[in-house]
């Protein structure tokens, strides 16, 4: 099959479209990456050029292709209990947080990918909130990609994906099952019940949906790196508004708020608190 070449003009159209609709800011040097990631999709759709793919995207009013495009452009890499130090911090601060909030915590995993992050949060709270008390702890988990959300809701993971889950947690919160001919681990219902999955685009999403909501903890890890500074800034402002006083914002270890801290105080590497 003939190799598809992404022309500069076509790249510029896609670059602007991706920025406007997904919020991801692609530098000019990303032309080869975009070509490599999208070529298979363009061919699969039977289109003869990237320009035709751009027209297809613009004409797609349902947004299904936009969602597909976002999963091709951004990475969904994630893992259970990613960034160990942040979990240690959370463990140390959980008692005071629970006391302050009267045992009611609302958490948002804002780019949850295939579910490892929100399920880690759910396991964490089940393990570390004192067992002699009743708590009301709920996790909202959102992502722009319907594809990863489907995986998250299914909650089935291969053994290698579960390698960072402590074996006693695996025993307590998962069942060993066979799914589509593969053995793996399925998240138990009692854990699933703590997590509500929804599709939400952090950049173009309607934040009015959160009008009645506030959070004690927001995890927005390893996604802001794809956004440019103004987009990151406006996101941090939204997180600030959505957090309760003394609530925490966790970001990825390769990210930092530096010049856009707003009213946040840095508490540890990549952990900020609303003061
Ligand atoms: C690298 S994963 C990070 C997953 C998890 N937070 C972690 O740190 O392990 C980035 C996720 O961000 C999602 N994403 C990219 N752009 C987004 C946007 N505009 N709104 C919401 N999610 C987005 C991707 O679909 C992907 O699942």
């Amino acid at each position: 099959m003939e190799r598809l070449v992404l022309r500069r003009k076509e790249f510029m159209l896609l670059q602007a479209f991706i920025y406007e609709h997904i919020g991801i800011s692609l530098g000019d040097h990303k032309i080869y990456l975009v070509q490599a990631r999208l070529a298979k999709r363009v061919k699969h759709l039977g289109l003869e050029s990237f320009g035709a793919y751009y027209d297809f995207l613009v004409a797609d009013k349902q947004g299904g292709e936009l969602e597909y495009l976002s999963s091709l452009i951004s990475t969904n890499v994630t893992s259970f209990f990613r960034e160990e130090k942040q979990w240690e911090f959370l463990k140390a601060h959980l008692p005071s947080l629970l006391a302050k909030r009267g045992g009611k915590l609302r958490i948002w995993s804002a780019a949850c990918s295939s579910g490892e992050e929100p399920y880690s949060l759910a396991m964490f709270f089940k393990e570390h909130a004192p067992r002699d008390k009743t708590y009301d702890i709920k996790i909202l988990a959102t992502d722009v990609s319907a594809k990863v959300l489907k995986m998250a809701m299914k909650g089935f993971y291969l053994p290698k994906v579960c390698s960072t889950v402590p074996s006693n947690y695996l025993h307590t919160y998962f069942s060993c099952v066979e799914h589509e001919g593969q053995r793996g681990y399925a998240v138990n219902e009692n854990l699933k019940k703590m997590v509500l999955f929804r599709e939400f685009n952090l950049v173009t999403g309607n934040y009015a949906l959160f009008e009645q909501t506030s959070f004690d903890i927001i995890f927005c890890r390893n996604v802001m790196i794809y956004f440019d500074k103004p987009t990151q800034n406006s996101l941090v402002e939204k997180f600030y508004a959505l957090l309760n006083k003394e609530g925490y914002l966790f970001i990825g270890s390769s990210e930092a708020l530096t010049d856009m801290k707003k009213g946040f105080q840095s508490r540890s590497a990549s952990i900020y608190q609303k003061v």
Side-chain angles (χ1 to χ4, degrees), residues 22 75-78 82 111 117 143-144 201-202 221-223:
I22 310 174
T75 152
N76 301 117
V77 172
T78 183
R82 189 175 193 179
E117 183 176 278
D143 201 282
V144 70
N201 186 327
L202 288 168
R221 306 189 305 170
N222 305 301
V223 61

